[in-house]
């Protein structure tokens, strides 16, 4: 089924003894790609489902997928306001679907991604984001690495804070449409800060992925 950028699927695994576990995973691919879809799963070390997907699942295995789900945390290329995307960790996944959709649809609205990761190795889609940014003057990508940075790192090196958000958001003006996704604490802190820098609450859409994310 065709999805909208930002939607997710519920994935259900069933063991031979009938035990079931279900988690939500955002769709990473753009709606324009029909007939298949990508999900991107971060391995949570003590996690039940994400470790199974990384360590046990092999091509040819069957899983149950229910979706696409969600009508609020979605972006369509026809929405032509400047786009402000803010992610922590795997929270970048639904935002990547939006960025890929924006590129596939040839949308011209200015868009900025501010993406917080722990270290350089943890950045998801780094190369693809670099390529998309190089090909599109309307797309800006800002990274912040909170725990460790390579020696020649030129991006931000701290948790997302009001000064950082101002630097990224202000050039887009106040009519931005903002999407914030990631660990619960990050999402709440960012959404509150966006309000204090003058972005109205009806312009801010949020999605929470996990308890804290550290
Ligand atoms: C709408 C939605 C979309 C999502 N999309 C994605 C996605 O695209 N990619 C993705 O990797 N995850 C995504 N998640 C998170 C995902 O659903 C699972 O919560 C995650 O994979 C952990 O499941 P688990 O079974 O491995 O861990 P669990 O066994 O459920 O939990 C193990 C431990 O990890 C902690 N934990 C649980 N979730 C997280 C988390 N997200 N970050 C840090 N710690 C956590 C728990 O508190 C617990 O201590 C999404 C969640 C929602 C609600």
């Amino acid at each position: 089924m065709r999805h909208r950028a930002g939607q997710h699927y519920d994935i259900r695994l069933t063991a031979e003894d009938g035990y079931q576990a279900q988690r939500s995973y955002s769709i990473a691919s753009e709606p324009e790609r029909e007939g298949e879809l990508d999900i991107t799963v971060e391995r949570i070390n003590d996690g039940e489902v994400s470790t199974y997907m990384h360590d046990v699942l092999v091509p040819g295995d069957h899983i149950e997928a229910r979706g696409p789900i969600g009508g609020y945390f979605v972006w369509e290329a026809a929405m032509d306001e400047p786009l402000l995307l803010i992610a922590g960790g795997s929270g970048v996944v639904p935002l990547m679907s939006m960025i890929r959709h924006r590129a596939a649809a040839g949308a011209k609205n200015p868009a900025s991604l501010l993406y917080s990761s722990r270290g350089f190795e943890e950045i998801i889609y780094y190369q693809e984001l670099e390529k998309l940014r190089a090909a599109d003057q309307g797309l800006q990508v800002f990274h912040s690495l909170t725990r460790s940075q390579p020696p020649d790192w030129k991006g931000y090196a701290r948790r997302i804070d009001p000064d950082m958000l101002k630097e990224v958001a202000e050039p887009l003006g106040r009519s931005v449409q903002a999407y914030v996704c990631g660990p619960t604490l990050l999402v709440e802190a960012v959404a509150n800060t966006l309000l204090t820098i003058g972005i109205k609450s009806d312009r801010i859409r949020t999605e929470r992925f996990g308890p804290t994310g550290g």
Side-chain angles (χ1 to χ4, degrees):
M1 280 176 63
R2 193 177 164 97
H3 66 274
R4 298 163 76 197
Q7 288 185 306
H8 68 272
Y9 269 79
D10 282 346
I11 304 287
R12 191 166 68 177
L13 306 173
T14 306
E16 279 174 14
D17 65 1
Y19 173 76
Q20 293 189 320
Q22 178 175 304
R23 302 286 186 276
S24 301
Y25 291 100
S26 299
I27 303 161
S29 40
E30 66 278 24
E32 286 78 3
R33 234 175 80 196
E34 286 181 28
E36 58 180 19
L37 57 87
D38 286 352
I39 59 169
T40 303
V41 180
E42 180 188 8
R43 191 180 189 286
I44 307 284
N45 277 337
D46 59 342
E48 187 181 8
V49 171
S50 63
T51 53
Y52 181 89
M53 307 253 265
H54 274 264
D55 305 341
V56 185
L57 204 67
V58 291
D61 284 354
H62 285 231
I63 54 175
E64 283 179 87
R66 189 169 63 89
I69 299 170
Y72 159 75
F73 196 79
V74 292
W75 179 77
E76 314 260 1
M79 297 163 70
D80 56 5
E81 302 93 357
L83 186 59
L84 174 61
L85 306 173
I86 302 165
S90 58
V92 75
V93 177
L95 308 187
M96 195 62 188
S97 179
M98 296 175 191
I99 291 170
R100 288 167 165 168
H101 172 43
R102 184 178 164 281
K108 296 282 175 256
N109 60 325
S112 292
L113 169 70
L114 173 59
Y115 178 14
S116 173
S117 308
R118 288 175 184 164
F120 188 76
E121 296 301 321
E122 271 107 336
I123 301 177
I124 309 172
Y125 314 127
Y126 182 78
Q127 298 296 347
E128 185 179 345
L129 284 168
E130 286 299 296
K131 270 193 202 155
L132 287 166
R133 162 165 64 180
D136 179 354
Q137 291 190 339
L139 175 68
Q140 303 240 48
V141 179
F142 303 87
H143 289 282
S144 191
L145 298 181
T146 56
R147 289 202 187 164
S148 62
Q149 303 83 27
D152 55 347
W153 181 246
K154 294 192 179 59
Y156 294 114
R158 57 188 202 267
R159 284 174 174 242
I160 295 174
D161 60 23
D163 287 342
M164 197 189 293
L165 274 175
K166 264 191 210 156
E167 282 173 27
V168 173
E170 276 183 355
L172 295 172
R174 288 199 179 173
S175 67
V176 287
Q177 183 64 61
Y179 292 82
V180 189
C181 185
T184 305
L185 293 178
L186 176 144
V187 170
E188 284 168 8
V190 168
N192 287 334
T193 307
L194 289 176
L195 292 172
T196 65
I197 65 170
I199 298 174
K200 295 211 167 64
S201 58
D202 62 0
R203 293 280 176 179
I204 306 169
R205 299 186 195 194
T206 58
E207 181 108 285
R208 294 158 176 76
F209 265 19
T212 61

